């Protein structure tokens, strides 16, 4: 019996994992195709730009040029280039940076990823928890003044772009009130270590960018949960419980729990879109994560680095999605038993 | 038909106020540059001066008049939002309705494709594509945002059409020998017209936000002025940390006012047209 119940769960996870692999493979393919498909061949112009600077340091430039030619496999048939590219990527070789030559792309991206994840994941989770709770209360007291105020503020606050909210926070709390530092991940000149002072310093730099992500995504969750709760209140079990005289708090508990399930899937999808916002937030705050690295890569037109950041971020988002799918399957028996799939 | 749609809308106070805000901003973008005919890209006066009688919204580091920048920026941002919305709308309607009407393998293929585009983060893909485009006009940015924005809409269109497709009148049409295209256009699409209209508004929002995001990291239009480009220069020139609020506050306020007024318009439409919500 037990095995029988477990099977659909494994099948479900297997399918999610297959989807993850396919999408990741497609992301790699996009990275391969784009520079070759867009007219004006950016690789050629990059080589041109590099050889223009050749007078300054011919030795160095020649080696960059050679690596570039090799890495992009220019000159070989496209299909060979493609398989070489995929083969390398699967071995974890995403090429060599141009602006930080001869550093490997992977060695540049890996150290900044923890900063981005540390900024993104707690902020999204806090926004998710607070937003859902607020939305549930508003929905449960639908039509009340509190509900109307909450709904309308959420609507407007939800429309504030992360980065602009970040600018406002810097202006108010750094420039005017001088409460929090407005840039960087820690005070410039200090060397990262595990002392209490450094940790406090990191936290004080963390608050503003994190707040900008929390505030701007909170409203969306609140509106979503409110709607789900309002729909849920129509269910038979709610009116039945009411007739039975079940305590209002207990009913609210049921409704809250049932309304939250769709929001778990939403959490997975939001990781991807929030990441875009977090990248720009990092740029506004000069926060030492992937967004800041991306910004530097963009301003130097370091194509291998830009591509590498893209591939690695996509991979981490898919892994996060997979993880949320897993959690979802654990808490929703319909998925676990293979009935909740559409 | 139109009367029955618009009459209840214009009786709703929330709708009227949000709609007025939207129209006001649209007018600022369309009529504004005519009433305030200053070149947004020309040197206008003393650099970085706060708002004054001569420069109602002050100037930036290059002595550009920021009110002229704002008015022209609204125009570009609205244009990009609108154009990208049209593109997303067409792709979404096509894929969603083909998927629903045809079913079978076509449906499976189209929906897998849709799911894949849906899970690749839009902004990342936009960043990647935009880096390879040396020259980016407002249209190019709109197309880029438009071809990335449709997946959720295609899925919703398919779902809604599938619920319509089993109604009696569709069977009657099939018996009468209607083609798939006739059924889609005459029987099905009118049924999702209000939903499509609301989605269109959300697409405009997405386009305006997307433009601002791309521009902010230097991947917006390479020429002209937009709300995002004003913000980009404000960031590059450290306007925030140097306290030049007149530079970055107005474009942000306009973006928020535009997108939230449009969102309120759609939610009130939903309350009015969605019978499940209306009963309350």
């Amino acid at each position: 019996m037990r095995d029988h119940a477990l099977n659909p769960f494994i099948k479900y996870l297997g399918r999610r994992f297959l989807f993850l692999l396919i999408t990741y493979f497609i992301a790699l393919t996009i990275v391969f195709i784009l520079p070759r498909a867009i007219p004006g061949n950016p690789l050629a112009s990059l080589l041109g730009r590099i050889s223009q600077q050749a007078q300054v340091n011919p030795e160095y430039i020649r080696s960059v040029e050679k690596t570039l030619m090799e890495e992009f496999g220019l000159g070989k048939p496209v299909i060979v280039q493609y398989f070489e590219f995929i083969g390398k990527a699967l071995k974890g070789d995403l090429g060599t940076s141009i602006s930080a030559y001869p550093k490997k792309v992977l060695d540049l991206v890996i150290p900044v990823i923890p900063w981005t994840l540390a900024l993104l994941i707690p902020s999204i989770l806090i926004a998710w928890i607070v937003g859902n709770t607020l939305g549930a209360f508003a929905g449960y007291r639908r039509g009340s003044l509190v509900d109307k105020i909450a709904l309308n503020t959420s609507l407007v606050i939800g429309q504030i772009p992360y980065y602009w909210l970040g600018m406002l926070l810097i202006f108010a709390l750094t420039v005017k009130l001088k409460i929090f530092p407005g840039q960087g991940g820690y005070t410039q000149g200090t060397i990262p270590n595990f002392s209490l002072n450094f940790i406090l310093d990191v936290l004080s730099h963390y608050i503003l960018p994190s707040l900008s992500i929390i505030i701007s995504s909170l409203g969306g969750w609140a509106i979503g949960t409110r709607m789900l709760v309002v729909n849920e209140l129509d269910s038979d079990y709610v009116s039945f419980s009411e007739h039975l005289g079940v305590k209002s708090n207990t009913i609210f508990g049921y409704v809250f729990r049932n309304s939250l399930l769709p929001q778990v899937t939403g959490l997975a999808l939001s990781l991807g879109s929030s990441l875009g916002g977090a990248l720009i937030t990092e740029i506004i705050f000069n926060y030492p994560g992937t967004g800041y690295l991306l910004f530097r890569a963009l301003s130097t037109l370091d194509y291998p680095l830009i591509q590498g950041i893209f591939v690695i971020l996509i991979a981490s988002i898919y892994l996060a999605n997979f993880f949320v799918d897993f959690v979802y399957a654990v808490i929703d028996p319909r998925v676990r038993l293979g009935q909740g799939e559409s | 038909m139109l009367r029955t749609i618009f009459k209840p809308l214009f009786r709703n106070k929330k709708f009227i106020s949000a709609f007025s805000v939207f129209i006001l901003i649209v007018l600022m973008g369309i009529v504004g540059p005519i009433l305030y005919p200053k070149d947004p890209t020309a040197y206008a006066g003393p650099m970085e001066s706060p708002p004054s009688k001569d420069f109602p919204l002050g100037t930036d580091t290059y002595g550009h008049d920021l009110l002229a920048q704002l008015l022209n920026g609204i125009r570009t941002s609205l244009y990009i939002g609108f154009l990208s919305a049209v593109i997303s709308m067409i792709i979404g309607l096509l894929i969603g309705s083909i998927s629903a009407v045809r079913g079978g393998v076509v449906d499976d293929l189209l929906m897998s494709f849709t799911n894949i585009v849906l899970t690749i983060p839009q902004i990342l893909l936009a960043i990647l594509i935009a880096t390879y485009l040396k020259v980016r006009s407002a249209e190019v940015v709109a197309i880029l945002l438009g071809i990335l924005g449709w997946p959720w809409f295609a899925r919703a269109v398919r779902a809604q059409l599938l619920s319509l497709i089993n109604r009696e009148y569709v069977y009657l049409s099939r018996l009468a020998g209607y083609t798939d295209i006739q059924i889609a256009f005459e029987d099905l699409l009118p049924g999702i017209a209000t939903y499509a209209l609301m989605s269109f508004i959300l697409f405009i929002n997405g386009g305006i936000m997307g433009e601002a995001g791309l521009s902010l990291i230097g991947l917006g239009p390479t020429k002209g002025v937009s709300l995002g480009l004003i913000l980009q220069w404000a960031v590059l020139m450290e306007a925030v940390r140097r306290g030049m609020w007149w530079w970055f506050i107005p474009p942000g306020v306009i973006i928020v006012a535009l997108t939230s007024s449009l969102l309120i318009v759609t939610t009130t439409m939903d309350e009015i047209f969605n019978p499940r919500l209306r009963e309350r």
Side-chain angles (χ1 to χ4, degrees):
Chain A
M1 261 328 270
R2 222 187 126 76
D3 276 350
H4 185 72
L6 209 64
N7 253 342
F9 181 52
I10 290 171
K11 225 167 89 183
Y12 164 79
L13 283 187
R15 265 175 49 193
R16 300 307 306 168
F17 192 70
L18 191 68
F19 185 73
L20 184 143
L21 286 182
I22 293 173
T23 29
Y24 187 58
F25 188 70
I26 289 171
L28 283 176
T29 309
I30 293 172
V31 159
F32 176 82
I33 292 176
L34 272 181
R36 293 167 175 83
I38 287 171
N41 194 348
L43 288 180
S45 70
L46 182 65
L47 283 175
R49 197 165 56 94
I50 288 171
S51 51
Q52 262 177 15
Q53 300 162 344
Q55 292 97 327
V56 193
N57 189 346
E59 277 297 302
Y60 162 75
I61 294 303
R62 222 165 291 140
S63 59
V64 175
E65 207 172 324
K66 196 168 153 268
T67 338
L68 261 182
M69 290 294 284
E70 259 171 33
E71 235 151 54
F72 287 97
L74 299 174
K76 292 180 193 166
V78 175
I79 192 79
V80 177
Q81 291 181 33
Y82 178 67
F83 283 113
E84 278 186 5
F85 172 80
I86 298 284
K88 273 187 187 170
L90 290 181
K91 274 184 255 160
D93 181 1
L94 290 169
T96 312
S97 157
I98 297 167
S99 57
Y101 186 82
K103 279 195 177 154
K104 285 286 186 187
V105 166
L106 210 60
D107 297 332
L108 288 169
V109 185
I110 296 291
V112 297
I113 286 223
W115 286 95
T116 299
L117 292 184
L119 176 61
L120 197 64
I121 292 178
S123 310
I124 289 182
L125 283 179
I126 293 173
W128 190 81
I129 293 167
V130 177
N132 282 328
T133 315
L134 280 180
F137 276 113
Y140 199 61
R141 311 206 186 302
R142 63 173 187 276
S144 69
L145 187 67
V146 180
D147 174 34
K148 278 179 186 151
I149 294 172
L151 182 64
N152 287 319
T153 18
S154 300
L155 275 176
V156 176
I157 288 179
Q159 292 304 299
I160 302 181
Y162 305 85
Y163 40 87
W164 191 62
L165 190 63
M167 292 178 175
L168 292 184
L169 288 175
I170 296 173
F171 184 66
L173 297 177
T174 305
V175 178
K176 291 287 166 195
L177 298 175
K178 301 187 171 51
I179 299 178
F180 295 109
Q183 63 176 328
Y186 47 87
T187 305
Q188 253 187 337
T190 52
I191 298 151
N193 57 69
F194 277 103
S195 70
L196 184 65
N197 274 342
F198 183 74
I199 292 170
L200 288 177
D201 187 42
V202 167
L203 279 180
S204 72
H205 284 80
Y206 184 81
I207 290 171
L208 286 193
S210 167
L211 259 186
S212 75
I213 295 176
I214 293 173
I215 297 175
S216 54
S217 51
L218 198 144
W221 294 121
I223 294 170
T225 311
R226 180 190 172 275
M227 201 185 73
L228 290 165
V229 164
V230 168
N231 284 339
E232 196 72 23
L233 288 174
D234 274 347
S235 311
D236 294 336
Y237 76 86
V238 174
S239 27
F240 186 61
S241 310
E242 274 169 359
H243 284 299
L244 283 182
V246 176
K247 263 192 251 157
S248 167
N249 277 346
T250 317
I251 300 180
F252 177 71
Y254 295 149
V255 169
F256 188 44
R257 210 190 119 98
N258 285 333
S259 311
L260 221 53
L261 284 175
Q263 296 293 71
V264 178
T265 332
L267 185 64
L269 276 179
S270 95
L271 282 170
S273 53
S274 311
L275 186 83
L279 290 179
I280 304 174
T281 306
E282 284 180 11
I283 292 169
I284 303 288
F285 284 95
N286 294 331
Y287 203 76
T290 35
Y292 193 56
L293 184 69
L294 179 71
F295 191 58
R296 277 189 358 229
L298 286 174
S299 50
T300 49
L301 282 184
D302 190 341
Y303 292 116
L305 186 52
I306 298 167
Q307 293 179 348
I309 294 173
F310 177 85
V311 170
I312 293 172
L313 287 184
I314 295 261
S316 45
I317 291 167
Y318 286 157
L319 277 177
N321 273 343
F322 182 68
F323 180 70
V324 176
D325 280 336
F326 177 78
V327 173
Y328 190 46
V330 169
I331 56 177
D332 188 348
R334 281 167 302 183
V335 174
R336 196 162 60 224
L337 298 173
Q339 294 155 6
E341 279 279 272
S342 55
Chain B
M1 161 92 180
L2 282 182
R3 266 182 76 94
T4 50
I5 289 184
F6 288 108
K7 220 174 167 187
L9 279 181
F10 282 97
R11 276 207 206 114
N12 184 307
K13 270 187 202 141
K14 216 161 90 185
F15 179 85
I16 296 174
S17 45
F19 192 67
S20 322
V21 171
F22 172 67
I23 292 297
L24 183 75
I25 300 174
V26 171
L27 285 179
M28 281 170 75
I30 295 173
V31 189
I34 303 168
L35 295 179
Y36 191 79
K38 279 196 183 173
D39 182 355
T41 54
Y43 176 82
M47 295 175 292
E48 300 185 357
S49 55
S52 62
K53 237 181 18 206
D54 292 336
F55 307 103
L57 283 182
T59 60
D60 69 8
T61 305
Y62 299 97
H64 299 149
D65 185 306
L66 278 169
L67 179 60
Q69 291 240 328
L70 189 74
L71 295 174
N72 284 278
I74 293 173
R75 182 182 277 194
T76 315
S77 291
L78 277 172
Y79 174 58
I80 291 178
F82 187 79
L83 192 58
S84 69
V86 172
I87 296 166
S88 297
M89 193 82 195
I90 293 174
I91 304 177
L93 274 179
L94 271 178
I95 293 198
S97 46
I98 293 175
S99 220
V101 176
R102 278 291 157 97
V105 186
V106 179
D107 182 26
D108 285 344
L109 282 177
L110 286 179
M111 279 305 113
S112 316
F113 178 63
T114 307
N115 285 340
I116 286 163
V117 184
L118 187 71
T119 42
I120 293 182
Q122 237 195 80
I123 187 85
L124 272 181
L125 198 49
I127 290 172
L128 193 69
I129 301 175
T131 28
Y132 287 113
L133 301 167
K134 283 254 165 50
V135 182
R136 293 178 300 266
S137 59
E139 287 81 6
V140 167
V141 173
I143 292 171
L144 186 57
L145 294 169
I147 54 172
L148 293 174
W150 56 269
W152 63 268
F153 178 63
R155 285 219 315 208
V157 166
R158 173 179 172 275
Q160 301 218 358
L161 291 187
L162 281 181
S163 78
L164 290 177
I165 218 160
N166 291 324
R167 306 270 165 93
E168 283 84 358
Y169 64 90
V170 182
Y171 283 125
L172 283 178
S173 301
R174 281 206 200 279
L175 284 178
Y178 276 37
T179 62
D180 281 350
I181 296 174
Q182 274 175 315
I183 289 177
F185 274 95
E186 290 175 28
D187 289 347
L188 300 177
L189 290 179
I192 59 161
T194 45
Y195 177 75
L197 179 62
M198 290 182 331
S199 307
F200 186 72
I201 296 174
L202 292 180
F203 275 135
I204 297 181
N205 269 2
I208 293 169
M209 292 268 213
E211 184 278 326
L214 276 183
S215 294
L216 208 80
I217 48 180
L219 294 172
T222 36
K223 252 173 52 188
V225 200
S226 71
L227 295 176
L229 288 171
I230 303 176
L231 285 175
Q232 187 209 354
W233 281 107
V235 171
L236 284 178
M237 294 298 153
E238 296 279 359
V240 183
R241 292 193 183 85
R242 288 158 62 209
M244 290 183 279
W245 56 269
W246 61 89
W247 193 343
F248 67 92
I249 296 224
V253 169
I254 296 284
I255 292 176
V256 174
L258 248 181
T259 51
S260 46
S261 68
L262 283 176
L263 196 69
I264 292 172
V265 164
T266 57
T267 48
T268 42
M269 279 171 73
D270 204 20
E271 279 161 23
I272 290 166
F273 296 125
N274 188 340
R276 285 187 66 181
L277 294 171
R278 188 171 42 199
E279 277 159 22
R280 291 181 230 291

